[in-house]
Amino acid sequence: LASRPTVYQIRLHSYSALLSTRVIMAVSSMQDETSLRNRFFVVRHGQSESNVENILVSDPAVGRASYGLTEKGKQQAREACDRLVRALSTSSSSGGPGSSDDCDCSSDLDLLAERVVVVSSDFKRTRETAEIIHSGLGAKAPLRFSTALWERGMGELESKAGPNVYQLWEADGKDPSHKHFGCESVMEMMVRLSRLVRDL
């Protein structure tokens, strides 16, 4: 439930970056044997209203309509955009663009803007994060949404206090195929995420 967006690069045989390190071995058999066609970066959403209320929101009927970003979350999304620009930038002379409120880094993104594709969950918190980053990158391709990026289904833990998720993570470390609390298993989540990465 950390509320700070983090940028991860996904490399070949590194889909496990999306998960707790405790389940890396469990998902290794699902990794693609061929090279990825593109470079992939994963950005977590900024602080959301559900983070502030300390509740778990995974139901699409709720998450798509409610619990968007706080003002702090929007600023975090802009900061994540800046970090993403530095990771993507091909400029070696300037040392990377600096941070700015509107993430105006177009001088280093002329080429990348033609090639970058932003794909997001349509949950309100992730959609708002993606819109800020898509705009900041100046991406020419339309912002895309995929249900494969929905929050992990939390089952009986839905709308419960955030700390309850630690029970789930503990069970994940022992058996990534478990469905305790009626939740979506780690393996089920990995299947949909891996398919999306392969299809992009």
Side-chain angles (χ1 to χ4, degrees):
L1 293 175
S3 58
R4 184 176 181 81
T6 304
V7 178
Y8 300 96
Q9 182 175 0
I10 304 179
R11 299 183 185 275
L12 180 62
H13 300 314
S14 297
Y15 295 145
S16 52
L18 300 168
L19 300 172
S20 163
T21 55
R22 291 176 298 178
V23 299
I24 289 177
M25 296 304 295
V27 302
S28 61
S29 63
M30 298 179 61
Q31 295 168 345
D32 202 324
E33 296 180 356
T34 60
S35 296
L36 296 174
R37 294 189 298 270
N38 304 293
R39 295 174 68 196
F40 292 85
F41 293 82
V42 179
V43 182
R44 191 186 188 278
H45 63 78
Q47 183 189 67
S48 68
E49 293 168 350
S50 58
N51 290 138
V52 174
E53 293 184 24
N54 199 26
I55 59 173
L56 299 171
V57 177
S58 67
D59 182 352
V62 177
R64 286 184 292 179
S66 306
Y67 297 104
L69 296 182
T70 63
E71 287 305 312
K72 179 179 179 179
K74 292 175 182 177
Q75 178 59 32
Q76 289 175 332
R78 289 188 284 268
E79 293 169 357
C81 177
D82 286 338
R83 293 197 297 275
L84 185 57
V85 166
R86 287 193 289 272
L88 289 168
S89 178
T90 57
S91 172
S92 60
S93 59
S94 66
S99 176
S100 63
D101 285 346
D102 57 1
C103 191
D104 182 11
C105 314
S106 57
S107 61
D108 287 310
L109 287 174
D110 290 342
L111 177 61
L112 291 168
E114 300 290 339
R115 303 174 61 186
V116 170
V117 176
V118 179
V119 185
S120 171
S121 160
D122 61 354
F123 275 41
K124 188 173 183 181
R125 56 187 182 253
T126 49
R127 184 176 69 246
E128 290 177 349
T129 301
E131 288 170 348
I132 290 170
I133 291 175
H134 183 268
S135 175
L137 293 176
K140 303 299 183 183
L143 177 58
R144 295 170 54 181
F145 298 99
S146 173
T147 58
L149 293 172
W150 276 357
E151 180 69 56
R152 179 184 184 182
M154 290 298 179
E156 297 170 11
L157 298 181
E158 179 72 21
S159 299
K160 299 291 179 61
N164 283 282
V165 78
Y166 296 120
Q167 302 174 51
L168 191 61
W169 290 344
E170 182 178 0
D172 292 344
K174 298 175 182 177
D175 177 13
S177 65
H178 82 85
K179 295 178 68 69
H180 298 344
F181 312 107
C183 74
E184 178 182 22
S185 74
V186 169
M187 296 303 288
E188 289 172 328
M189 183 172 61
M190 278 303 301
V191 167
R192 59 180 169 91
L193 292 173
S194 296
R195 285 174 178 167
L196 174 64
V197 169
R198 287 196 298 264
D199 290 344
L200 288 173

